[in-house]
Amino acid sequence: MSAKKKDLLSSAMKRTSEWISSQEVSSDVTVHVGEASFSLHKFPLLSKCGLIKKLMSESKNDSDASVIKIPDIPGGSEAFELTAKFCYGINFDMSTENIAMLRCAAEYLDMTEEHSVENLVVRAEAYLNEVALKSLSSAITVLHKSEELLPIAERVKLVSRCIDAIAYMTCQESQFCSPSSSNKSNNEIVVQQSKQLVVDWWAEDLTVLRIDSFQRVLIAMMARGFKQYGLGPVLMLYAQKSLRGLEIFAKGIKKIEPKQEHEKRVILETIVSLLPREKNAMSVSFLSMLLRAAIYLETTVACRLDLEKRMGLQLPQAVLDDLLIPSYSFTGEHSLFDTDAVQRILMNYLEFGVEGVRLSNNGVDLGSDMERVGKLMENYLAEIASDRNVSLQKFIGLAELIPEQSRVTEDGMYRAVDIYLKAHPNMNDVEKKKVCSLMDCQKLSREACAHAAQNDRLPVQTIVQVLYYEQQRLRGEVTNDSEALPPQPPPPAAAATVLPPKLSSYNDELSKLKRENQDLKLEILKMKMKLKEFEKENEKKSSSTAMSSNHSSPISTASMDKPPLPRKSFMNSVSRKLGKLNPFGITPGRTKPPKDRRHSIS
């Protein structure tokens, strides 16, 4: 058909439609679309809609032909109203908001060139190719509208064309798509550029997509060369928007519908599967948020283990809040925080993180990382120690995983142990000794030693260990200071005005150490007196009722008549008493007479 004949036919049909749509001709067909009904005319519909022509030809009588039901047209009554306007030649605007609906409705109603020249299918395709798919934001909008028009949107390849256009344009716009190869490994690239990751302007637009469409877009982007570590900000935006509203810090009964819980579970598992494999591509805080949501939504075990491993690899970058993961025990019988998850995170760090740093040899200071992890875990132990539901086995098991080389001092561990003893007052002596064995008393600071010496919650043996090591340290400092000062010849007269201040400052420091030494001696003496009282009580309990009070009073009198300090040196007395206590489980070097051994409480 020539172009002239097409124009003539089109103008004739337009005039006919205008005449029919006027008030002079009554409607002869009623179309029911869902709950809406349209009183129309057969001629304009039959001239353009192959489906309506087919339905009317299949009707048995005129009454059936006057009523047509189209229950499942894509887009519903709104889409049919626009197609009816197109059949009548009434002008309306095509836009990115309605083009997907028009294209699918035209396909459903069979509005092709077979029935009319420049029918709705051709018009819609022209708008898609020339307008809608030329802009990134427009393509995303069309894809979003197509999600409600499945499966016919897939059949006309509307979804696949939108995804391909989005992937192409994002790779053109983004800084993370480069065909040139690099000699550096992915891990090195991420370490250098992770701090410079910027969210592209189009990332916010992608968050309106459904999770299956979002996943297909990201896969198409990577197929076109988009760097996977560049997906981090996009995934973070999508997760924050789609998982919003989860009460991941709540206790008690879940306040979420089962259908909504299933949808969010699918979203979360898909996001985790799309996370970049490069180290440091995602922040630890974001991974912690995902892990909280995964535990709350009860995702697959593989999903949770994957997040725990990722957190373990970046544990030196974590802060205390990242590890305070609620247990989400809705019975109220379990501990407040999920200590098992943190234990697995620490094990992943020790197994993969430390070994990876050693093998990579990329300039990362393993010692500083270990020290940061040690302080972090000590703070975590102190935080969970106040929870009465944290069992002794869990507390000790988690504390024993902390590497010794990561603990420069034992102050953090002592703080955690002290809080645990305070929160669990019903522990027996054996359990207290197990808890206190987690810390090395030799590595306590002077302030911690002073606190521990007066801490009634600690076992007696632990207090004696603290006092003993502090005494040894003070003696060592005094000895080193005296040895570090070599004998000097008489100073000349010119320097006489300079040296006396140095000597006086040294003497002041030495006198200060001596005063502290005397104070510590008094503390040890008090402990010795307490130990003697304990010995007396044990002797009274073990003695038989037949022993007379006259026989026991000499012992008491003799013990009270002893001088406060023995004539031998102070260190000999401390060694003798510590040998009796045997707090370190070491066999004493000096042997004691058998008569002294019966007073041992070890």
Side-chain angles (χ1 to χ4, degrees):
M1 186 180 295
S2 63
K4 186 176 181 180
K5 288 184 178 180
K6 287 183 178 180
D7 293 339
L8 291 173
L9 181 59
S10 176
S11 61
M13 292 183 64
K14 182 177 181 180
R15 289 194 301 271
T16 304
S17 299
E18 290 175 353
W19 174 73
I20 291 174
S21 62
S22 66
Q23 298 296 327
E24 299 175 1
V25 180
S26 60
S27 63
D28 54 1
V29 64
T30 302
V31 181
H32 294 280
V33 181
E35 297 181 355
S37 59
F38 299 86
S39 297
L40 303 172
H41 304 86
K42 291 182 181 179
F43 177 75
L45 300 179
L46 293 175
S47 63
K48 293 183 181 294
C49 299
L51 176 65
I52 294 180
K53 185 185 296 186
K54 178 182 178 182
L55 294 175
M56 286 188 176
S57 64
E58 293 176 352
S59 60
K60 298 179 180 179
N61 49 49
D62 294 339
S63 61
D64 294 337
S66 62
V67 178
I68 300 175
K69 294 182 178 180
I70 309 177
D72 51 357
I73 181 174
S77 59
E78 181 183 358
F80 183 78
E81 182 180 358
L82 293 178
T83 56
K85 286 183 178 181
F86 180 82
C87 293
Y88 279 87
I90 302 173
N91 293 328
F92 64 90
D93 293 332
M94 283 187 179
S95 66
T96 56
E97 297 291 333
N98 62 19
I99 188 59
M101 177 177 60
L102 284 173
R103 178 63 184 90
C104 294
E107 184 72 19
Y108 181 83
L109 295 173
D110 194 18
M111 301 178 70
T112 61
E113 291 290 291
E114 183 181 350
H115 305 287
S116 175
V117 180
E118 293 188 359
N119 213 341
L120 186 56
V121 170
V122 176
R123 295 283 187 88
E125 285 291 336
Y127 184 86
L128 282 170
N129 296 328
E130 296 174 7
V131 180
L133 299 182
K134 294 295 184 179
S135 168
L136 181 56
S137 59
S138 299
I140 294 174
T141 302
V142 174
L143 178 59
H144 178 53
K145 296 296 182 181
S146 301
E147 295 172 347
E148 303 173 356
L149 304 171
L150 299 175
I152 193 169
E154 290 280 8
R155 190 165 73 234
V156 299
K157 298 182 179 180
L158 182 59
V159 175
S160 59
R161 284 185 291 170
C162 290
I163 290 175
D164 190 61
I166 294 170
Y168 174 77
M169 285 183 280
T170 52
C171 289
Q172 294 295 321
E173 294 281 347
S174 178
Q175 58 175 326
F176 299 111
C177 184
S178 176
S180 61
S181 60
S182 176
N183 295 328
K184 296 183 179 181
S185 63
N186 288 336
N187 288 344
E188 293 174 348
I189 293 175
V190 173
V191 168
Q192 294 179 2
Q193 296 187 1
S194 61
K195 296 182 179 180
Q196 302 176 1
L197 294 182
V198 180
V199 180
D200 289 298
W201 63 268
W202 45 262
E204 184 69 26
D205 295 341
L206 290 180
T207 58
V208 302
L209 298 177
R210 210 166 58 184
I211 185 62
D212 53 344
S213 302
F214 180 75
Q215 181 182 21
R216 291 176 62 179
V217 168
L218 296 192
I219 292 175
M221 289 167 56
M222 288 186 289
R224 284 187 172 271
F226 196 92
K227 301 300 181 182
Q228 190 178 13
Y229 63 83
L231 298 179
V234 185
L235 291 169
M236 188 179 302
L237 274 178
Y238 191 89
Q240 290 173 349
K241 186 173 182 179
S242 58
L243 300 177
R244 187 179 300 160
L246 286 179
E247 298 182 0
I248 57 177
F249 295 100
K251 299 292 288 183
I253 302 175
K254 283 186 179 180
K255 298 179 181 179
I256 184 173
E257 296 296 330
K259 182 180 179 181
Q260 185 183 10
E261 182 181 8
H262 174 73
E263 293 175 354
K264 291 190 179 294
R265 185 185 301 119
V266 172
I267 290 174
L268 180 56
E269 291 176 353
T270 305
I271 290 175
V272 173
S273 67
L274 293 171
L275 291 177
R277 289 295 170 187
E278 291 87 354
K279 187 178 179 181
N280 300 333
M282 310 300 299
S283 66
V284 184
S285 299
F286 176 66
L287 295 174
S288 177
M289 186 271 290
L290 292 183
L291 182 58
R292 287 184 173 95
I295 298 174
Y296 180 82
L297 295 172
E298 299 180 10
T299 60
T300 60
V301 177
C303 176
R304 282 175 277 178
L305 293 179
D306 188 13
L307 290 171
E308 291 172 359
K309 183 176 179 180
R310 292 174 183 272
M311 287 187 65
L313 293 175
Q314 299 177 219
L315 190 57
Q317 307 168 17
V319 296
L320 180 59
D321 289 340
D322 298 333
L323 299 184
L324 297 179
I325 302 170
S327 62
Y328 301 116
S329 172
F330 301 101
T331 60
E333 297 294 333
H334 295 77
S335 58
L336 182 62
F337 299 108
D338 193 340
T339 56
D340 294 334
V342 176
Q343 186 171 355
R344 289 190 294 268
I345 291 172
L346 180 57
M347 293 174 65
N348 280 314
Y349 168 73
L350 297 175
E351 183 177 357
F352 300 104
V354 176
E355 190 65 25
V357 171
R358 289 173 178 170
L359 295 177
S360 62
N361 193 21
N362 55 4
V364 178
D365 188 0
L366 180 59
S368 62
D369 280 358
M370 292 281 286
E371 185 176 345
R372 281 195 295 268
V373 171
K375 291 181 179 178
L376 175 65
M377 295 308 301
E378 287 176 347
N379 292 333
Y380 179 77
L381 284 175
E383 189 69 27
I384 67 171
S386 59
D387 188 357
R388 294 180 180 271
N389 292 325
V390 175
S391 64
L392 180 63
Q393 290 74 18
K394 281 189 177 182
F395 186 82
I396 293 178
L398 190 58
E400 288 178 344
L401 284 177
I402 304 176
E404 293 184 3
Q405 59 270 28
S406 66
R407 289 146 56 180
V408 180
T409 66
E410 291 291 317
D411 291 7
M413 184 62 69
Y414 168 68
R415 174 170 167 261
V417 167
D418 186 39
I419 295 175
Y420 190 83
L421 293 176
K422 184 177 180 180
H424 301 77
N426 297 326
M427 296 174 58
N428 56 41
D429 292 339
V430 176
E431 293 174 337
K432 288 183 178 181
K433 290 179 181 179
K434 287 182 180 179
V435 175
C436 292
S437 65
L438 296 173
M439 60 180 179
D440 185 359
C441 297
Q442 298 185 67
K443 297 168 70 174
L444 289 175
S445 66
R446 185 166 297 175
E447 293 77 11
C449 286
H451 186 276
Q454 302 176 2
N455 193 342
D456 296 334
R457 291 184 288 271
L458 298 179
V460 176
Q461 289 185 344
T462 304
I463 296 177
V464 174
Q465 288 185 37
V466 172
L467 294 174
Y468 174 78
Y469 287 127
E470 181 64 13
Q471 174 69 15
Q472 292 292 99
R473 179 164 55 189
L474 287 175
R475 288 179 63 86
E477 291 177 358
V478 172
T479 303
N480 293 336
D481 290 340
S482 61
E483 291 178 354
L485 187 64
Q488 297 289 337
T497 59
V498 181
L499 289 180
K502 294 183 179 180
L503 292 175
S504 62
S505 62
Y506 172 76
N507 292 331
D508 292 342
E509 183 66 22
L510 188 60
S511 62
K512 181 180 178 182
L513 290 175
K514 288 181 179 180
R515 285 196 300 271
E516 292 178 355
N517 194 7
Q518 293 295 330
D519 294 340
L520 195 57
K521 287 180 180 180
L522 292 177
E523 290 292 335
I524 296 179
L525 183 60
K526 292 178 182 179
M527 292 303 303
K528 289 169 61 178
M529 299 299 294
K530 289 183 180 180
L531 290 176
K532 287 182 179 181
E533 292 178 2
F534 291 154
E535 290 177 2
K536 293 177 184 179
E537 293 177 359
N538 291 333
E539 289 178 359
K540 290 180 180 180
K541 292 180 181 179
S542 61
S543 62
S544 61
T545 56
M547 298 181 69
S548 61
S549 59
N550 293 331
H551 183 68
S552 59
S553 57
I555 299 177
S556 175
T557 305
S559 61
M560 294 299 295
D561 292 338
K562 289 182 179 180
L565 287 175
R567 293 185 178 181
K568 294 183 179 181
S569 67
F570 175 73
M571 286 307 299
N572 290 336
S573 64
V574 171
S575 300
R576 185 174 68 255
K577 183 54 63 179
L578 291 178
K580 294 178 182 180
L581 291 175
N582 194 15
F584 316 106
I586 305 174
T587 304
R590 296 179 60 186
T591 60
K592 309 291 187 303
K595 62 179 180 180
D596 293 338
R597 195 168 300 170
R598 69 172 181 269
H599 297 296
S600 174
I601 62 171
S602 61

